[in-house]
Amino acid sequence: MSKITVNIPQHQYEIVTGKNILKSLPAYLNSGFKTNRLFFIIDSKMYKRNTSKVDQVLTSTGNRSVKMLLTATEKNKTYESLIKIHRRMIKSGCGRDCIVVAIGGGITGDVTGFAAATYMRGVRYVQVPTTLLAMVDSSVGGKTGINLDTTKNIIGAFHQPQRVFCDLEFLHTLDKTELICGMGEVAKYAFLTNEKFYDYVYHNFDKILKLNNSILNRVVSESVNFKRNVVEKDEKESGLRKILNLGHTFAHAIESVLNHKIKHGQAVVAGIAMALYLSGELGILNGDKAFKYFRLLEKFKPYINFPELNTNKMYNVMKHDKKNRQNEIRFVLFNDFGNLLLDVKAGKAQVMLAVKKGLEFFA
Ligand code: GLY
């Protein structure tokens, strides 16, 4: 088991990672909080695969627990879902002292966190990420939110959890696509961290997909540790935290235009390729290592198939990205491992060329 502490102003919390960590959740909930309601929001697909494991938590926390299942899709990451959750919380007698617990992937965590952030002006919540993507990225750092129309995560709040439980056993119940999606965010950390971690992820890619536990543990811990350091320095994304959006401006637009026919993590990988191409066009990328940068992305090729994509629509969606400033699209671009440039502007022709090259890379 490993513990990482996140220290941000007026709030400190732990991220606990290990096999069967979920077993320690009831004791934590039973001893840590004075409350008459524990409100669990549980990803329905994950619940089907792990029913007895999750039910054990509900049983061990007694009749204070309320269970609500969520169909965790991007299309359900909406105000409608939020209203349903809030109505159920009111009906269940959740007061200001209630604890909300998210058990599921990134969508479950984002919606649950936002439901907690907005219920009675903010109640406490605990994250139990069950996918690789949620463990390495979305459950850490307090970003919560929902989508509106074509814009991803446009409505949301920063609301930090009380604790994060990363139980690596859940990863054994994921399908290949879900693992690949997690690897998309891991690839992001490989670029952001340093060449050593990049090489580690590259050389162990297949072992990670085969769920080698000690390698998984290291990959999750290093990614979380990197993110912790960033979030501690810039919780609300006024500067440094933007680096975590490498590839995401492209990715969110791809997801939106394809109506979520490909998943977030897959879109992130394509988005990173596009960000690398754009970095090359703008003379930012260190050309001597260009071959090496794409090696990790090559590993994803068998798992990413793009349906036809309207790139003009994609550009229009990017124009509404929440990271834009003065009505201009701003990109996170890449010079070398651990060396990123923030808020870079680019002309439409250059952006479209990067999109085209990125799509060709995965064709
Ligand atoms: N997923 C990017 C961030 O948490 O800032």
Side-chain angles (χ1 to χ4, degrees):
M1 184 182 93
S2 70
K3 260 189 199 173
I4 290 175
T5 306
V6 183
N7 271 302
I8 45 179
Q10 276 123 46
H11 190 65
Q12 186 189 68
Y13 63 94
E14 275 171 356
I15 300 159
V16 200
T17 304
K19 275 183 82 177
N20 283 318
I21 281 295
L22 195 73
K23 281 199 175 131
S24 59
L25 178 63
Y28 169 75
L29 293 172
N30 289 334
S31 65
F33 303 100
K34 284 198 181 101
T35 177
N36 66 343
R37 274 295 163 266
L38 299 168
F39 193 88
F40 289 82
I41 302 178
I42 301 169
D43 175 345
S44 56
K45 187 170 159 196
M46 180 285 307
Y47 183 62
K48 261 193 204 144
R49 295 171 184 170
N50 298 280
T51 311
S52 62
K53 187 174 159 110
V54 174
D55 279 350
Q56 208 152 1
V57 175
L58 296 166
T59 312
S60 314
T61 46
N63 56 10
R64 297 184 303 159
S65 296
V66 177
K67 172 179 87 183
M68 179 169 181
L69 296 182
L70 177 76
T71 308
T73 58
E74 288 289 344
K75 286 184 188 158
N76 254 350
K77 204 174 163 184
T78 56
Y79 273 117
E80 287 73 25
S81 295
L82 195 68
I83 290 168
K84 274 189 203 154
I85 293 170
H86 283 156
R87 286 215 171 101
R88 186 76 191 278
M89 288 177 75
I90 295 169
K91 216 169 150 192
S92 312
C94 286
R96 254 224 175 106
D97 60 350
C98 75
I99 307 295
V100 182
V101 184
I103 310 185
I107 295 168
T108 307
D110 281 7
V111 176
T112 303
F114 191 47
T118 45
Y119 187 72
M120 293 191 175
R121 301 195 176 92
V123 295
R124 295 167 295 179
Y125 77 114
V126 172
Q127 287 270 24
V128 183
T130 60
T131 62
L132 183 58
L133 186 143
M135 288 183 196
V136 297
D137 195 62
S138 60
S139 70
V140 179
K143 273 191 183 177
T144 72
I146 54 172
N147 306 331
L148 182 62
D149 301 331
T150 55
T151 316
K152 274 203 54 157
N153 302 333
I154 187 76
I155 313 295
F158 288 98
H159 188 50
Q160 300 290 341
Q162 298 298 305
R163 189 174 280 199
V164 183
F165 291 80
C166 298
D167 184 342
L168 299 175
E169 277 299 300
F170 279 116
L171 301 180
H172 292 262
T173 67
L174 299 180
D175 58 40
K176 197 70 168 262
T177 307
E178 287 167 317
L179 272 174
I180 288 294
C181 285
M183 285 306 290
E185 292 287 356
V186 170
K188 177 184 85 177
Y189 288 107
F191 283 98
L192 297 184
T193 306
N194 52 42
E195 195 159 353
K196 192 168 162 223
F197 186 51
Y198 179 95
D199 285 342
Y200 185 79
V201 174
Y202 174 75
H203 290 299
N204 289 294
F205 193 89
D206 298 324
K207 287 189 187 145
I208 299 170
L209 292 187
K210 288 194 177 121
L211 299 168
N212 175 303
N213 262 314
S214 66
I215 296 173
L216 270 176
N217 211 332
R218 174 157 172 204
V219 161
V220 173
S221 303
E222 283 221 22
S223 303
V224 168
N225 199 33
F226 183 87
K227 182 160 186 179
R228 178 270 298 261
N229 276 316
V230 171
V231 170
E232 283 183 349
K233 291 191 184 92
D234 177 23
E235 182 194 357
K236 302 273 168 73
E237 198 171 294
S238 47
L240 178 69
R241 187 168 177 165
K242 292 177 189 173
I243 61 172
L244 302 177
N245 297 323
L246 176 66
H248 280 58
T249 300
F250 291 109
H252 286 165
I254 292 169
E255 288 174 77
S256 169
V257 172
L258 290 179
N259 207 7
H260 305 293
K261 280 194 202 100
I262 74 167
K263 296 185 120 199
H264 177 64
Q266 293 166 311
V268 165
V269 179
I272 293 173
M274 290 169 191
L276 292 183
Y277 282 122
L278 186 56
S279 306
E281 278 155 35
L282 297 179
I284 291 169
L285 183 138
N286 175 348
D288 298 346
K289 287 193 182 166
F291 164 72
K292 180 159 194 181
Y293 300 137
F294 282 91
R295 272 206 321 188
L296 180 55
L297 302 181
E298 294 269 351
K299 297 255 183 203
F300 288 87
K301 279 187 174 176
Y303 309 106
I304 297 179
N305 292 308
F306 278 104
E308 185 114 5
L309 178 68
N310 182 327
T311 51
N312 280 315
K313 268 196 191 162
M314 190 180 148
Y315 188 79
N316 285 335
V317 172
M318 284 197 270
K319 286 204 295 201
H320 297 287
D321 191 278
K322 65 184 176 311
K323 300 180 286 301
N324 295 348
R325 294 291 176 270
Q326 285 106 41
N327 269 336
E328 287 170 327
I329 311 172
R330 302 295 173 108
F331 294 92
V332 178
L333 295 184
F334 179 84
N335 167 260
D336 202 352
F337 299 111
N339 189 4
L340 284 296
L341 272 78
L342 304 177
D343 289 325
V344 184
K345 290 189 258 178
K348 182 173 178 184
Q350 289 161 316
V351 174
M352 295 300 272
L353 189 57
V355 168
K356 185 169 170 278
K357 286 183 179 173
L359 292 174
E360 280 166 6
F361 182 79
F362 289 103

